[in-house]
PDB file of all heavy atoms in Angstrom:
ATOM      1  N   GLY A   1      57.243  33.414 -26.229  1.00  0.00           N
ATOM      2  CA  GLY A   1      57.058  32.304 -27.168  1.00  0.00           C
ATOM      3  C   GLY A   1      55.847  31.482 -26.841  1.00  0.00           C
ATOM      4  O   GLY A   1      55.562  30.453 -27.492  1.00  0.00           O
ATOM      5  N   ARG A   2      55.065  31.851 -25.824  1.00  0.00           N
ATOM      6  CA  ARG A   2      53.892  31.080 -25.443  1.00  0.00           C
ATOM      7  C   ARG A   2      52.667  31.560 -26.215  1.00  0.00           C
ATOM      8  O   ARG A   2      52.590  32.692 -26.641  1.00  0.00           O
ATOM      9  CB  ARG A   2      53.586  31.258 -23.952  1.00  0.00           C
ATOM     10  CG  ARG A   2      54.742  30.930 -23.057  1.00  0.00           C
ATOM     11  CD  ARG A   2      55.012  29.441 -22.987  1.00  0.00           C
ATOM     12  NE  ARG A   2      56.093  29.189 -22.081  1.00  0.00           N
ATOM     13  CZ  ARG A   2      56.632  28.008 -21.905  1.00  0.00           C
ATOM     14  NH1 ARG A   2      56.229  26.987 -22.578  1.00  0.00           N
ATOM     15  NH2 ARG A   2      57.625  27.857 -21.071  1.00  0.00           N
ATOM     16  N   ALA A   3      51.655  30.716 -26.246  1.00  0.00           N
ATOM     17  CA  ALA A   3      50.381  31.074 -26.850  1.00  0.00           C
ATOM     18  C   ALA A   3      49.740  32.200 -26.002  1.00  0.00           C
ATOM     19  O   ALA A   3      49.751  32.108 -24.748  1.00  0.00           O
ATOM     20  CB  ALA A   3      49.480  29.866 -26.936  1.00  0.00           C
ATOM     21  N   CYS A   4      49.188  33.198 -26.655  1.00  0.00           N
ATOM     22  CA  CYS A   4      48.566  34.315 -25.941  1.00  0.00           C
ATOM     23  C   CYS A   4      47.485  33.822 -24.979  1.00  0.00           C
ATOM     24  O   CYS A   4      47.371  34.309 -23.872  1.00  0.00           O
ATOM     25  CB  CYS A   4      47.979  35.316 -26.962  1.00  0.00           C
ATOM     26  SG  CYS A   4      49.237  35.981 -28.019  1.00  0.00           S
ATOM     27  N   ARG A   5      46.694  32.848 -25.425  1.00  0.00           N
ATOM     28  CA  ARG A   5      45.600  32.353 -24.567  1.00  0.00           C
ATOM     29  C   ARG A   5      46.162  31.702 -23.303  1.00  0.00           C
ATOM     30  O   ARG A   5      45.599  31.810 -22.222  1.00  0.00           O
ATOM     31  CB  ARG A   5      44.744  31.327 -25.320  1.00  0.00           C
ATOM     32  CG  ARG A   5      43.852  31.981 -26.346  1.00  0.00           C
ATOM     33  CD  ARG A   5      42.915  30.997 -27.041  1.00  0.00           C
ATOM     34  NE  ARG A   5      42.309  31.602 -28.204  1.00  0.00           N
ATOM     35  CZ  ARG A   5      41.331  32.514 -28.128  1.00  0.00           C
ATOM     36  NH1 ARG A   5      40.842  32.863 -26.953  1.00  0.00           N
ATOM     37  NH2 ARG A   5      40.840  33.054 -29.215  1.00  0.00           N
ATOM     38  N   GLU A   6      47.274  30.992 -23.479  1.00  0.00           N
ATOM     39  CA  GLU A   6      47.866  30.309 -22.320  1.00  0.00           C
ATOM     40  C   GLU A   6      48.415  31.332 -21.324  1.00  0.00           C
ATOM     41  O   GLU A   6      48.276  31.159 -20.098  1.00  0.00           O
ATOM     42  CB  GLU A   6      49.042  29.391 -22.796  1.00  0.00           C
ATOM     43  CG  GLU A   6      49.521  28.489 -21.668  1.00  0.00           C
ATOM     44  CD  GLU A   6      50.791  27.700 -22.010  1.00  0.00           C
ATOM     45  OE1 GLU A   6      51.345  27.831 -23.111  1.00  0.00           O
ATOM     46  OE2 GLU A   6      51.261  26.964 -21.100  1.00  0.00           O
ATOM     47  N   ILE A   7      48.985  32.421 -21.836  1.00  0.00           N
ATOM     48  CA  ILE A   7      49.482  33.463 -20.952  1.00  0.00           C
ATOM     49  C   ILE A   7      48.336  34.013 -20.129  1.00  0.00           C
ATOM     50  O   ILE A   7      48.440  34.178 -18.894  1.00  0.00           O
ATOM     51  CB  ILE A   7      50.155  34.596 -21.756  1.00  0.00           C
ATOM     52  CG1 ILE A   7      51.428  34.104 -22.430  1.00  0.00           C
ATOM     53  CG2 ILE A   7      50.478  35.796 -20.854  1.00  0.00           C
ATOM     54  CD1 ILE A   7      52.092  35.063 -23.402  1.00  0.00           C
ATOM     55  N   LEU A   8      47.222  34.299 -20.771  1.00  0.00           N
ATOM     56  CA  LEU A   8      46.081  34.869 -20.062  1.00  0.00           C
ATOM     57  C   LEU A   8      45.481  33.872 -19.064  1.00  0.00           C
ATOM     58  O   LEU A   8      44.969  34.271 -18.014  1.00  0.00           O
ATOM     59  CB  LEU A   8      45.002  35.284 -21.062  1.00  0.00           C
ATOM     60  CG  LEU A   8      45.320  36.559 -21.861  1.00  0.00           C
ATOM     61  CD1 LEU A   8      44.157  36.837 -22.847  1.00  0.00           C
ATOM     62  CD2 LEU A   8      45.522  37.755 -20.943  1.00  0.00           C
ATOM     63  N   ALA A   9      45.543  32.597 -19.419  1.00  0.00           N
ATOM     64  CA  ALA A   9      44.885  31.565 -18.598  1.00  0.00           C
ATOM     65  C   ALA A   9      45.734  31.149 -17.406  1.00  0.00           C
ATOM     66  O   ALA A   9      45.247  30.448 -16.512  1.00  0.00           O
ATOM     67  CB  ALA A   9      44.541  30.380 -19.456  1.00  0.00           C
ATOM     68  N   THR A  10      47.001  31.556 -17.378  1.00  0.00           N
ATOM     69  CA  THR A  10      47.897  31.059 -16.328  1.00  0.00           C
ATOM     70  C   THR A  10      48.317  32.144 -15.376  1.00  0.00           C
ATOM     71  O   THR A  10      49.058  33.054 -15.766  1.00  0.00           O
ATOM     72  CB  THR A  10      49.178  30.434 -16.953  1.00  0.00           C
ATOM     73  OG1 THR A  10      48.782  29.612 -18.072  1.00  0.00           O
ATOM     74  CG2 THR A  10      49.914  29.584 -15.953  1.00  0.00           C
ATOM     75  N   PRO A  11      47.837  32.099 -14.136  1.00  0.00           N
ATOM     76  CA  PRO A  11      48.267  33.108 -13.162  1.00  0.00           C
ATOM     77  C   PRO A  11      49.740  32.919 -12.816  1.00  0.00           C
ATOM     78  O   PRO A  11      50.286  31.852 -13.109  1.00  0.00           O
ATOM     79  CB  PRO A  11      47.379  32.821 -11.949  1.00  0.00           C
ATOM     80  CG  PRO A  11      47.028  31.367 -12.076  1.00  0.00           C
ATOM     81  CD  PRO A  11      46.990  31.065 -13.546  1.00  0.00           C
ATOM     82  N   PRO A  12      50.374  33.926 -12.224  1.00  0.00           N
ATOM     83  CA  PRO A  12      51.818  33.753 -11.916  1.00  0.00           C
ATOM     84  C   PRO A  12      52.098  33.302 -10.490  1.00  0.00           C
ATOM     85  O   PRO A  12      52.592  34.095  -9.672  1.00  0.00           O
ATOM     86  CB  PRO A  12      52.358  35.159 -12.166  1.00  0.00           C
ATOM     87  CG  PRO A  12      51.215  36.063 -11.836  1.00  0.00           C
ATOM     88  CD  PRO A  12      49.948  35.308 -12.110  1.00  0.00           C
ATOM     89  N   PRO A  13      51.761  32.054 -10.108  1.00  0.00           N
ATOM     90  CA  PRO A  13      51.991  31.614  -8.742  1.00  0.00           C
ATOM     91  C   PRO A  13      53.472  31.535  -8.388  1.00  0.00           C
ATOM     92  O   PRO A  13      53.837  31.515  -7.213  1.00  0.00           O
ATOM     93  CB  PRO A  13      51.354  30.200  -8.707  1.00  0.00           C
ATOM     94  CG  PRO A  13      51.432  29.734 -10.092  1.00  0.00           C
ATOM     95  CD  PRO A  13      51.212  30.956 -10.954  1.00  0.00           C
ATOM     96  N   PHE A  14      54.348  31.508  -9.414  1.00  0.00           N
ATOM     97  CA  PHE A  14      55.758  31.380  -9.136  1.00  0.00           C
ATOM     98  C   PHE A  14      56.290  32.558  -8.291  1.00  0.00           C
ATOM     99  O   PHE A  14      57.238  32.402  -7.538  1.00  0.00           O
ATOM    100  CB  PHE A  14      56.586  31.255 -10.437  1.00  0.00           C
ATOM    101  CG  PHE A  14      56.578  32.491 -11.302  1.00  0.00           C
ATOM    102  CD1 PHE A  14      57.583  33.432 -11.175  1.00  0.00           C
ATOM    103  CD2 PHE A  14      55.568  32.698 -12.206  1.00  0.00           C
ATOM    104  CE1 PHE A  14      57.580  34.579 -11.953  1.00  0.00           C
ATOM    105  CE2 PHE A  14      55.545  33.830 -13.009  1.00  0.00           C
ATOM    106  CZ  PHE A  14      56.553  34.786 -12.865  1.00  0.00           C
ATOM    107  N   ILE A  15      55.646  33.710  -8.420  1.00  0.00           N
ATOM    108  CA  ILE A  15      56.134  34.888  -7.656  1.00  0.00           C
ATOM    109  C   ILE A  15      56.053  34.612  -6.169  1.00  0.00           C
ATOM    110  O   ILE A  15      56.982  34.886  -5.434  1.00  0.00           O
ATOM    111  CB  ILE A  15      55.308  36.138  -8.054  1.00  0.00           C
ATOM    112  CG1 ILE A  15      55.611  36.482  -9.546  1.00  0.00           C
ATOM    113  CG2 ILE A  15      55.635  37.321  -7.147  1.00  0.00           C
ATOM    114  CD1 ILE A  15      54.781  37.637 -10.075  1.00  0.00           C
ATOM    115  N   THR A  16      54.924  34.028  -5.751  1.00  0.00           N
ATOM    116  CA  THR A  16      54.765  33.681  -4.335  1.00  0.00           C
ATOM    117  C   THR A  16      55.570  32.435  -3.996  1.00  0.00           C
ATOM    118  O   THR A  16      56.187  32.339  -2.940  1.00  0.00           O
ATOM    119  CB  THR A  16      53.293  33.432  -4.028  1.00  0.00           C
ATOM    120  OG1 THR A  16      52.534  34.468  -4.667  1.00  0.00           O
ATOM    121  CG2 THR A  16      53.017  33.486  -2.543  1.00  0.00           C
ATOM    122  N   ALA A  17      55.557  31.462  -4.910  1.00  0.00           N
ATOM    123  CA  ALA A  17      56.212  30.180  -4.615  1.00  0.00           C
ATOM    124  C   ALA A  17      57.705  30.347  -4.396  1.00  0.00           C
ATOM    125  O   ALA A  17      58.302  29.698  -3.535  1.00  0.00           O
ATOM    126  CB  ALA A  17      55.939  29.202  -5.783  1.00  0.00           C
ATOM    127  N   ILE A  18      58.314  31.249  -5.166  1.00  0.00           N
ATOM    128  CA  ILE A  18      59.736  31.478  -4.984  1.00  0.00           C
ATOM    129  C   ILE A  18      59.984  32.365  -3.767  1.00  0.00           C
ATOM    130  O   ILE A  18      61.038  32.360  -3.178  1.00  0.00           O
ATOM    131  CB  ILE A  18      60.359  32.178  -6.234  1.00  0.00           C
ATOM    132  CG1 ILE A  18      60.288  31.292  -7.436  1.00  0.00           C
ATOM    133  CG2 ILE A  18      61.791  32.582  -5.985  1.00  0.00           C
ATOM    134  CD1 ILE A  18      60.717  31.993  -8.727  1.00  0.00           C
ATOM    135  N   GLY A  19      58.995  33.158  -3.424  1.00  0.00           N
ATOM    136  CA  GLY A  19      59.156  34.094  -2.297  1.00  0.00           C
ATOM    137  C   GLY A  19      59.517  35.491  -2.758  1.00  0.00           C
ATOM    138  O   GLY A  19      59.932  36.337  -1.970  1.00  0.00           O
ATOM    139  N   LEU A  20      59.353  35.738  -4.064  1.00  0.00           N
ATOM    140  CA  LEU A  20      59.749  37.053  -4.608  1.00  0.00           C
ATOM    141  C   LEU A  20      58.894  38.149  -3.957  1.00  0.00           C
ATOM    142  O   LEU A  20      59.369  39.229  -3.670  1.00  0.00           O
ATOM    143  CB  LEU A  20      59.544  37.102  -6.103  1.00  0.00           C
ATOM    144  CG  LEU A  20      60.598  36.414  -6.965  1.00  0.00           C
ATOM    145  CD1 LEU A  20      60.179  36.460  -8.438  1.00  0.00           C
ATOM    146  CD2 LEU A  20      61.948  37.059  -6.791  1.00  0.00           C
ATOM    147  N   ASP A  21      57.598  37.829  -3.752  1.00  0.00           N
ATOM    148  CA  ASP A  21      56.746  38.847  -3.185  1.00  0.00           C
ATOM    149  C   ASP A  21      57.199  39.292  -1.806  1.00  0.00           C
ATOM    150  O   ASP A  21      56.981  40.443  -1.388  1.00  0.00           O
ATOM    151  CB  ASP A  21      55.276  38.370  -3.141  1.00  0.00           C
ATOM    152  CG  ASP A  21      55.161  36.997  -2.477  1.00  0.00           C
ATOM    153  OD1 ASP A  21      56.188  36.308  -2.302  1.00  0.00           O
ATOM    154  OD2 ASP A  21      54.036  36.604  -2.157  1.00  0.00           O
ATOM    155  N   GLN A  22      57.860  38.374  -1.074  1.00  0.00           N
ATOM    156  CA  GLN A  22      58.314  38.758   0.283  1.00  0.00           C
ATOM    157  C   GLN A  22      59.697  39.380   0.278  1.00  0.00           C
ATOM    158  O   GLN A  22      60.052  40.144   1.167  1.00  0.00           O
ATOM    159  CB  GLN A  22      58.389  37.500   1.156  1.00  0.00           C
ATOM    160  CG  GLN A  22      56.994  36.955   1.492  1.00  0.00           C
ATOM    161  CD  GLN A  22      57.099  35.530   1.990  1.00  0.00           C
ATOM    162  OE1 GLN A  22      58.042  34.814   1.677  1.00  0.00           O
ATOM    163  NE2 GLN A  22      56.105  35.125   2.737  1.00  0.00           N
ATOM    164  N   HIS A  23      60.515  39.062  -0.725  1.00  0.00           N
ATOM    165  CA  HIS A  23      61.919  39.486  -0.668  1.00  0.00           C
ATOM    166  C   HIS A  23      62.315  40.644  -1.585  1.00  0.00           C
ATOM    167  O   HIS A  23      63.419  41.135  -1.486  1.00  0.00           O
ATOM    168  CB  HIS A  23      62.822  38.274  -0.932  1.00  0.00           C
ATOM    169  CG  HIS A  23      62.796  37.295   0.219  1.00  0.00           C
ATOM    170  ND1 HIS A  23      61.913  36.271   0.246  1.00  0.00           N
ATOM    171  CD2 HIS A  23      63.523  37.249   1.338  1.00  0.00           C
ATOM    172  CE1 HIS A  23      62.100  35.573   1.377  1.00  0.00           C
ATOM    173  NE2 HIS A  23      63.075  36.143   2.047  1.00  0.00           N
ATOM    174  N   LEU A  24      61.399  40.984  -2.459  1.00  0.00           N
ATOM    175  CA  LEU A  24      61.739  42.162  -3.316  1.00  0.00           C
ATOM    176  C   LEU A  24      61.302  43.414  -2.601  1.00  0.00           C
ATOM    177  O   LEU A  24      60.348  43.418  -1.869  1.00  0.00           O
ATOM    178  CB  LEU A  24      60.970  42.048  -4.642  1.00  0.00           C
ATOM    179  CG  LEU A  24      61.403  40.993  -5.646  1.00  0.00           C
ATOM    180  CD1 LEU A  24      60.502  41.025  -6.855  1.00  0.00           C
ATOM    181  CD2 LEU A  24      62.835  41.162  -6.034  1.00  0.00           C
ATOM    182  N   SER A  25      62.023  44.500  -2.845  1.00  0.00           N
ATOM    183  CA  SER A  25      61.594  45.755  -2.292  1.00  0.00           C
ATOM    184  C   SER A  25      60.257  46.133  -2.945  1.00  0.00           C
ATOM    185  O   SER A  25      59.968  45.673  -4.069  1.00  0.00           O
ATOM    186  CB  SER A  25      62.634  46.835  -2.580  1.00  0.00           C
ATOM    187  OG  SER A  25      62.686  47.029  -3.997  1.00  0.00           O
ATOM    188  N   PRO A  26      59.445  46.924  -2.297  1.00  0.00           N
ATOM    189  CA  PRO A  26      58.153  47.311  -2.876  1.00  0.00           C
ATOM    190  C   PRO A  26      58.273  47.875  -4.296  1.00  0.00           C
ATOM    191  O   PRO A  26      57.465  47.563  -5.157  1.00  0.00           O
ATOM    192  CB  PRO A  26      57.597  48.391  -1.912  1.00  0.00           C
ATOM    193  CG  PRO A  26      58.271  48.076  -0.610  1.00  0.00           C
ATOM    194  CD  PRO A  26      59.595  47.512  -0.976  1.00  0.00           C
ATOM    195  N   THR A  27      59.311  48.703  -4.539  1.00  0.00           N
ATOM    196  CA  THR A  27      59.426  49.289  -5.884  1.00  0.00           C
ATOM    197  C   THR A  27      59.752  48.210  -6.904  1.00  0.00           C
ATOM    198  O   THR A  27      59.213  48.252  -8.037  1.00  0.00           O
ATOM    199  CB  THR A  27      60.501  50.384  -5.929  1.00  0.00           C
ATOM    200  OG1 THR A  27      61.698  49.841  -5.336  1.00  0.00           O
ATOM    201  CG2 THR A  27      60.072  51.625  -5.201  1.00  0.00           C
ATOM    202  N   ARG A  28      60.586  47.246  -6.553  1.00  0.00           N
ATOM    203  CA  ARG A  28      60.922  46.176  -7.507  1.00  0.00           C
ATOM    204  C   ARG A  28      59.706  45.287  -7.724  1.00  0.00           C
ATOM    205  O   ARG A  28      59.448  44.820  -8.836  1.00  0.00           O
ATOM    206  CB  ARG A  28      62.088  45.335  -7.006  1.00  0.00           C
ATOM    207  CG  ARG A  28      63.384  46.097  -7.070  1.00  0.00           C
ATOM    208  CD  ARG A  28      64.528  45.157  -7.216  1.00  0.00           C
ATOM    209  NE  ARG A  28      65.754  45.936  -7.299  1.00  0.00           N
ATOM    210  CZ  ARG A  28      66.685  45.947  -6.357  1.00  0.00           C
ATOM    211  NH1 ARG A  28      66.540  45.227  -5.264  1.00  0.00           N
ATOM    212  NH2 ARG A  28      67.742  46.696  -6.485  1.00  0.00           N
ATOM    213  N   SER A  29      58.977  45.059  -6.651  1.00  0.00           N
ATOM    214  CA  SER A  29      57.790  44.237  -6.746  1.00  0.00           C
ATOM    215  C   SER A  29      56.763  44.935  -7.646  1.00  0.00           C
ATOM    216  O   SER A  29      56.133  44.307  -8.513  1.00  0.00           O
ATOM    217  CB  SER A  29      57.203  44.021  -5.343  1.00  0.00           C
ATOM    218  OG  SER A  29      56.152  43.147  -5.405  1.00  0.00           O
ATOM    219  N   ASN A  30      56.611  46.244  -7.485  1.00  0.00           N
ATOM    220  CA  ASN A  30      55.732  47.024  -8.384  1.00  0.00           C
ATOM    221  C   ASN A  30      56.158  46.891  -9.836  1.00  0.00           C
ATOM    222  O   ASN A  30      55.335  46.751 -10.723  1.00  0.00           O
ATOM    223  CB  ASN A  30      55.729  48.501  -8.044  1.00  0.00           C
ATOM    224  CG  ASN A  30      54.977  48.793  -6.736  1.00  0.00           C
ATOM    225  OD1 ASN A  30      54.275  47.913  -6.262  1.00  0.00           O
ATOM    226  ND2 ASN A  30      55.144  49.987  -6.205  1.00  0.00           N
ATOM    227  N   GLY A  31      57.476  46.973 -10.041  1.00  0.00           N
ATOM    228  CA  GLY A  31      58.010  46.845 -11.360  1.00  0.00           C
ATOM    229  C   GLY A  31      57.711  45.499 -11.989  1.00  0.00           C
ATOM    230  O   GLY A  31      57.316  45.407 -13.155  1.00  0.00           O
ATOM    231  N   LEU A  32      57.865  44.438 -11.170  1.00  0.00           N
ATOM    232  CA  LEU A  32      57.593  43.092 -11.635  1.00  0.00           C
ATOM    233  C   LEU A  32      56.123  42.982 -12.054  1.00  0.00           C
ATOM    234  O   LEU A  32      55.773  42.457 -13.126  1.00  0.00           O
ATOM    235  CB  LEU A  32      57.890  42.084 -10.523  1.00  0.00           C
ATOM    236  CG  LEU A  32      57.616  40.622 -10.822  1.00  0.00           C
ATOM    237  CD1 LEU A  32      58.450  40.107 -11.976  1.00  0.00           C
ATOM    238  CD2 LEU A  32      57.890  39.772  -9.574  1.00  0.00           C
ATOM    239  N   HIS A  33      55.231  43.517 -11.219  1.00  0.00           N
ATOM    240  CA  HIS A  33      53.799  43.481 -11.527  1.00  0.00           C
ATOM    241  C   HIS A  33      53.458  44.330 -12.738  1.00  0.00           C
ATOM    242  O   HIS A  33      52.578  43.986 -13.526  1.00  0.00           O
ATOM    243  CB  HIS A  33      52.965  43.793 -10.297  1.00  0.00           C
ATOM    244  CG  HIS A  33      53.026  42.698  -9.287  1.00  0.00           C
ATOM    245  ND1 HIS A  33      52.323  41.505  -9.451  1.00  0.00           N
ATOM    246  CD2 HIS A  33      53.720  42.537  -8.139  1.00  0.00           C
ATOM    247  CE1 HIS A  33      52.594  40.696  -8.439  1.00  0.00           C
ATOM    248  NE2 HIS A  33      53.433  41.291  -7.637  1.00  0.00           N
ATOM    249  N   ALA A  34      54.160  45.442 -12.890  1.00  0.00           N
ATOM    250  CA  ALA A  34      53.930  46.297 -14.076  1.00  0.00           C
ATOM    251  C   ALA A  34      54.330  45.557 -15.364  1.00  0.00           C
ATOM    252  O   ALA A  34      53.650  45.631 -16.374  1.00  0.00           O
ATOM    253  CB  ALA A  34      54.704  47.602 -13.937  1.00  0.00           C
ATOM    254  N   MET A  35      55.453  44.806 -15.272  1.00  0.00           N
ATOM    255  CA  MET A  35      55.900  44.039 -16.447  1.00  0.00           C
ATOM    256  C   MET A  35      54.890  42.956 -16.786  1.00  0.00           C
ATOM    257  O   MET A  35      54.531  42.739 -17.927  1.00  0.00           O
ATOM    258  CB  MET A  35      57.294  43.446 -16.218  1.00  0.00           C
ATOM    259  CG  MET A  35      58.413  44.481 -16.225  1.00  0.00           C
ATOM    260  SD  MET A  35      60.063  43.702 -16.164  1.00  0.00           S
ATOM    261  CE  MET A  35      60.255  43.222 -14.480  1.00  0.00           C
ATOM    262  N   LEU A  36      54.438  42.256 -15.714  1.00  0.00           N
ATOM    263  CA  LEU A  36      53.468  41.208 -15.905  1.00  0.00           C
ATOM    264  C   LEU A  36      52.187  41.762 -16.542  1.00  0.00           C
ATOM    265  O   LEU A  36      51.610  41.141 -17.460  1.00  0.00           O
ATOM    266  CB  LEU A  36      53.085  40.579 -14.555  1.00  0.00           C
ATOM    267  CG  LEU A  36      53.835  39.347 -14.122  1.00  0.00           C
ATOM    268  CD1 LEU A  36      53.460  38.989 -12.681  1.00  0.00           C
ATOM    269  CD2 LEU A  36      53.508  38.168 -15.043  1.00  0.00           C
ATOM    270  N   ALA A  37      51.761  42.903 -16.049  1.00  0.00           N
ATOM    271  CA  ALA A  37      50.537  43.533 -16.566  1.00  0.00           C
ATOM    272  C   ALA A  37      50.674  43.872 -18.049  1.00  0.00           C
ATOM    273  O   ALA A  37      49.787  43.668 -18.844  1.00  0.00           O
ATOM    274  CB  ALA A  37      50.208  44.804 -15.753  1.00  0.00           C
ATOM    275  N   THR A  38      51.874  44.349 -18.419  1.00  0.00           N
ATOM    276  CA  THR A  38      52.144  44.697 -19.837  1.00  0.00           C
ATOM    277  C   THR A  38      52.096  43.460 -20.709  1.00  0.00           C
ATOM    278  O   THR A  38      51.524  43.471 -21.790  1.00  0.00           O
ATOM    279  CB  THR A  38      53.528  45.390 -19.959  1.00  0.00           C
ATOM    280  OG1 THR A  38      53.542  46.479 -19.067  1.00  0.00           O
ATOM    281  CG2 THR A  38      53.793  45.864 -21.362  1.00  0.00           C
ATOM    282  N   ILE A  39      52.689  42.362 -20.221  1.00  0.00           N
ATOM    283  CA  ILE A  39      52.682  41.119 -20.966  1.00  0.00           C
ATOM    284  C   ILE A  39      51.247  40.583 -21.135  1.00  0.00           C
ATOM    285  O   ILE A  39      50.856  40.173 -22.229  1.00  0.00           O
ATOM    286  CB  ILE A  39      53.560  40.043 -20.237  1.00  0.00           C
ATOM    287  CG1 ILE A  39      55.046  40.479 -20.314  1.00  0.00           C
ATOM    288  CG2 ILE A  39      53.365  38.649 -20.860  1.00  0.00           C
ATOM    289  CD1 ILE A  39      55.959  39.746 -19.367  1.00  0.00           C
ATOM    290  N   ARG A  40      50.490  40.658 -20.054  1.00  0.00           N
ATOM    291  CA  ARG A  40      49.083  40.181 -20.122  1.00  0.00           C
ATOM    292  C   ARG A  40      48.247  41.039 -21.062  1.00  0.00           C
ATOM    293  O   ARG A  40      47.383  40.540 -21.772  1.00  0.00           O
ATOM    294  CB  ARG A  40      48.478  40.141 -18.707  1.00  0.00           C
ATOM    295  CG  ARG A  40      49.150  39.081 -17.819  1.00  0.00           C
ATOM    296  CD  ARG A  40      48.497  39.015 -16.467  1.00  0.00           C
ATOM    297  NE  ARG A  40      47.159  38.405 -16.567  1.00  0.00           N
ATOM    298  CZ  ARG A  40      46.947  37.082 -16.530  1.00  0.00           C
ATOM    299  NH1 ARG A  40      47.941  36.272 -16.384  1.00  0.00           N
ATOM    300  NH2 ARG A  40      45.733  36.594 -16.621  1.00  0.00           N
ATOM    301  N   LYS A  41      48.504  42.331 -21.038  1.00  0.00           N
ATOM    302  CA  LYS A  41      47.764  43.257 -21.901  1.00  0.00           C
ATOM    303  C   LYS A  41      48.075  42.929 -23.372  1.00  0.00           C
ATOM    304  O   LYS A  41      47.182  42.859 -24.210  1.00  0.00           O
ATOM    305  CB  LYS A  41      48.136  44.685 -21.582  1.00  0.00           C
ATOM    306  CG  LYS A  41      47.058  45.690 -21.960  1.00  0.00           C
ATOM    307  CD  LYS A  41      47.296  47.009 -21.254  1.00  0.00           C
ATOM    308  CE  LYS A  41      48.123  47.911 -22.167  1.00  0.00           C
ATOM    309  NZ  LYS A  41      48.501  49.187 -21.521  1.00  0.00           N
TER     310      LYS A  41
END
């Protein structure tokens, strides 16, 4: 529901801030980044 420009302009610091990058398994982390990439595209 966000503006496309805002999505592109806003990096996802929450992934690191929550600690997801450290606590997700590599495959889940890849999946998260793949979903993010699809949304950004």
Side-chain angles (χ1 to χ4, degrees):
R2 305 287 182 187
C4 299
R5 288 184 191 286
E6 189 189 0
I7 293 172
L8 286 179
T10 316
F14 67 93
I15 294 176
T16 316
I18 294 175
L20 284 175
D21 51 346
Q22 291 162 335
H23 290 89
L24 289 178
S25 65
T27 49
R28 288 208 181 111
S29 186
N30 287 347
L32 178 62
H33 288 286
M35 288 189 283
L36 266 172
T38 305
I39 292 165
R40 294 183 71 87
K41 205 162 92 185

